[in-house]
């Protein structure tokens, strides 16, 4: 079985081909650069770019795998959550193609896609396990009871982890998207330079909150001369990042302990973070659990992860109808 994945939920346009053993045959991704000058994603610009890029990326995907649409058995497409205008481009493209070429179609939750990026590279990763999904729009801690069977343990009450990175980067004048820039600067910084607060949510030990952390960076810099931030960028980034890492790790370790799990998988754009990968690798070695993370290319939005979730659901006999619709707020559970 060959599955074509289609991902257009935000500012990346991607198509991928994978086989039923989850081997990636091609996975081109176009990342929109148009948003940099606005300092954040402009939804209207994003959907217009999706319209421009979807067909060329689809053609490139087939070409680089040396295949035609005749080789494809089914199409897996992101139906949410995401920006509605962007989602609609992928969903309608996939539906049109499925109708014209007579292929099965299946709608995929973008967050399940992120989680499934781990299945592409770690065939030994099988449920049950704990998953931490950390992206620009979401922060979720999940107990994966079985394939496609999730128990939500906690999510963010305000900003997502990636959003916190992007906001702090903007504050520090690092531009957009900021996560990767903060990560880079933090590598040379001292994580103990300043102790930013680690938020806990009352009566909800698995919930996350990042907006207070962002505010505390604002308050910290407010009374200091501008040159202070400029001269201590590495240390401020490292200290901010350490607070994020601590908050994420505390919830994950609690869940591993409470649910007696010995496997933790992380996914999403923020899972590309050097310090998060390094910290969890060290803790896993010390505490004796297995830690899984996707390679860098598969952390940020891509269609191979959507196709992987598609293969898993199609093998269970699932499929969608051509009535499939996009849903901006689609929950994982
Ligand atoms: O998963 P993703 O590509 O898109 C969403 O589904 O939201 O995640 C994008 C997010 C952005 O907030 C970006 O700043 C963040 O992932 N990000 C990082 C790193 N690389 C990307 N955050 C921290 N460290 C990184 N190395
Ligand atoms: Zn994403």
């Amino acid at each position: 079985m060959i599955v074509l994945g289609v991902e257009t939920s935000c500012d990346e346009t991607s198509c991928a081909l994978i086989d039923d053993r989850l081997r990636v045959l091609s996975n081109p991704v176009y990342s929109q650069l148009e948003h940099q000058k606005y300092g954040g994603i402009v939804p209207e610009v994003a959907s217009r770019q999706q319209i421009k890029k979807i067909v060329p990326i689809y053609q490139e995907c087939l070409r680089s795998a040396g295949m035609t649409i005749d080789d494809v058995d089914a199409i897996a497409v992101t139906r949410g959550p995401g920006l509605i205008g962007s989602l609609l481009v992928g969903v309608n493209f996939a539906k049109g193609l499925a109708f014209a070429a007579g292929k099965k179609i299946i709608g995929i939750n973008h967050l399940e896609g992120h989680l499934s990026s781990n299945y592409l590279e770690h065939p030994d990763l099988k449920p049950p396990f704990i998953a931490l999904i950390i992206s620009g729009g979401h922060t979720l801690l999940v107990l994966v009871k079985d394939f496609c069977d999730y128990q939500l343990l906690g999510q963010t009450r305000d900003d997502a982890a990636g959003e916190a990175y992007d906001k702090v980067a903007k504050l520090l004048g690092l531009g957009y998207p900021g996560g990767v820039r903060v990560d880079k600067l933090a590598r040379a910084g001292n994580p103990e330079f300043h102790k930013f607060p680690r938020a806990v949510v009352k009566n909800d030990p698995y919930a996350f909150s990042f907006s207070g952390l962002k505010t505390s960076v604002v308050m910290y810099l407010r009374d200091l001369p501008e040159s202070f931030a400029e001269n201590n960028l590495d240390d401020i980034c490292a200290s901010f990042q350490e607070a994020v890492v601590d908050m994420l790790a505390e919830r994950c370790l609690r869940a591993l302990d409470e649910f007696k799990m010995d496997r933790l998988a992380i996914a999403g754009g923020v899972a590309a973070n050097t310090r998060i990968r390094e910290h969890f690798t060290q803790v896993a070695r010390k505490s004796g659990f297995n830690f899984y993370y996707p390679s860098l290319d598969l952390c940020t939005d891509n269609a191979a992860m959507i196709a992987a979730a598609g293969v898993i659901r199609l093998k269970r006999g699932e499929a969608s109808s051509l009535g499939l619709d996009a849903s901006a707020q689609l929950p994982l559970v």
Side-chain angles (χ1 to χ4, degrees), residues 21-332:
R21 293 176 62 191
L22 304 186
R23 287 179 298 207
V24 179
L25 310 173
S26 79
N27 185 27
V29 179
Y30 171 75
S31 291
Q32 301 175 3
L33 302 173
E34 290 76 8
H35 307 282
Q36 285 181 355
K37 60 175 175 282
Y38 303 109
I41 293 172
V42 182
E44 181 72 5
V45 174
S47 54
R48 283 171 192 272
Q49 286 300 316
Q50 295 287 5
I51 292 169
K52 277 194 192 154
K53 291 294 173 186
I54 187 69
V55 172
I57 289 290
Y58 163 68
Q59 288 167 335
E60 186 186 331
C61 176
L62 287 176
R63 197 170 42 240
S64 73
M67 289 186 167
T68 70
I69 188 66
D70 295 338
D71 298 306
V72 173
D73 297 287
I75 303 169
V77 59
T78 305
R79 60 174 293 244
L83 300 173
I84 193 66
S86 290
L87 286 166
L88 282 168
V89 175
V91 167
N92 286 310
F93 173 78
K95 286 204 295 191
L97 190 60
F99 178 70
K103 307 292 175 186
K104 268 191 207 163
I105 187 166
I106 183 150
I108 297 295
N109 183 302
H110 181 76
L111 303 172
E112 179 170 272
H114 272 303
L115 204 154
S116 304
S117 61
N118 277 295
Y119 298 138
L120 287 166
E121 295 176 309
H122 307 298
D124 60 316
L125 176 63
K126 298 207 163 59
F129 61 91
I130 301 291
L132 174 70
I133 305 169
I134 34 180
S135 71
H138 295 87
T139 306
L140 265 78
L141 189 65
V142 176
L143 170 62
V144 183
K145 295 196 274 188
D146 199 349
F147 288 109
C148 313
D149 184 7
Y150 312 107
Q151 180 182 335
L152 179 65
L153 302 180
Q155 56 188 327
T156 185
R157 290 290 178 90
D158 37 58
D159 293 347
E163 203 177 347
Y165 267 96
D166 293 336
K167 285 181 175 172
V168 166
K170 199 170 178 179
L171 195 77
L172 296 172
L174 302 177
Y176 178 87
V180 67
R181 294 176 196 176
V182 172
D183 183 355
K184 212 167 169 188
L185 285 163
R187 271 177 237 173
N190 171 13
E192 284 162 24
F193 181 74
H194 182 80
K195 180 105 178 162
F196 289 112
R198 278 74 169 149
V200 282
V201 178
K202 207 173 164 194
N203 299 328
D204 195 350
Y206 291 118
F208 300 89
S209 169
F210 293 103
S211 74
L213 174 58
K214 173 207 65 196
T215 307
S216 72
V217 178
V218 175
M219 301 303 274
Y220 173 60
L221 295 175
R222 201 183 54 176
D223 302 326
L224 294 163
E226 227 170 82
S227 58
F228 178 84
E230 281 162 27
N231 295 336
N232 297 284
L233 266 184
D234 302 357
D235 294 332
I236 297 167
C237 287
S239 300
F240 157 78
Q241 179 162 278
E242 209 56 16
V244 175
V245 172
D246 277 355
M247 284 193 271
L248 297 175
E250 196 269 330
R251 272 73 166 175
C252 290
L253 296 182
R254 181 191 286 268
L256 287 164
D257 186 47
E258 181 177 342
F259 296 95
K260 309 263 173 297
M261 292 287 141
D262 61 359
R263 277 164 292 185
L264 171 72
I266 62 168
V270 184
N273 184 268
T274 321
R275 179 71 187 129
I276 292 174
R277 294 157 92 96
E278 176 192 82
H279 181 79
F280 278 113
T281 303
Q282 285 166 354
V283 178
R285 207 172 293 141
K286 225 186 319 165
S287 309
F289 64 86
N290 291 319
F291 173 52
Y292 300 86
Y293 54 89
S295 58
L296 290 179
D297 290 354
L298 295 175
C299 283
T300 39
D301 291 349
N302 67 87
M305 68 186 199
I306 304 302
V311 166
I312 291 165
R313 288 199 175 261
L314 289 159
K315 278 187 179 172
R316 293 157 58 100
E318 294 179 29
S320 304
S321 73
L322 285 175
L324 174 72
D325 208 355
S327 168
Q329 305 292 340
L330 188 70
L332 179 65

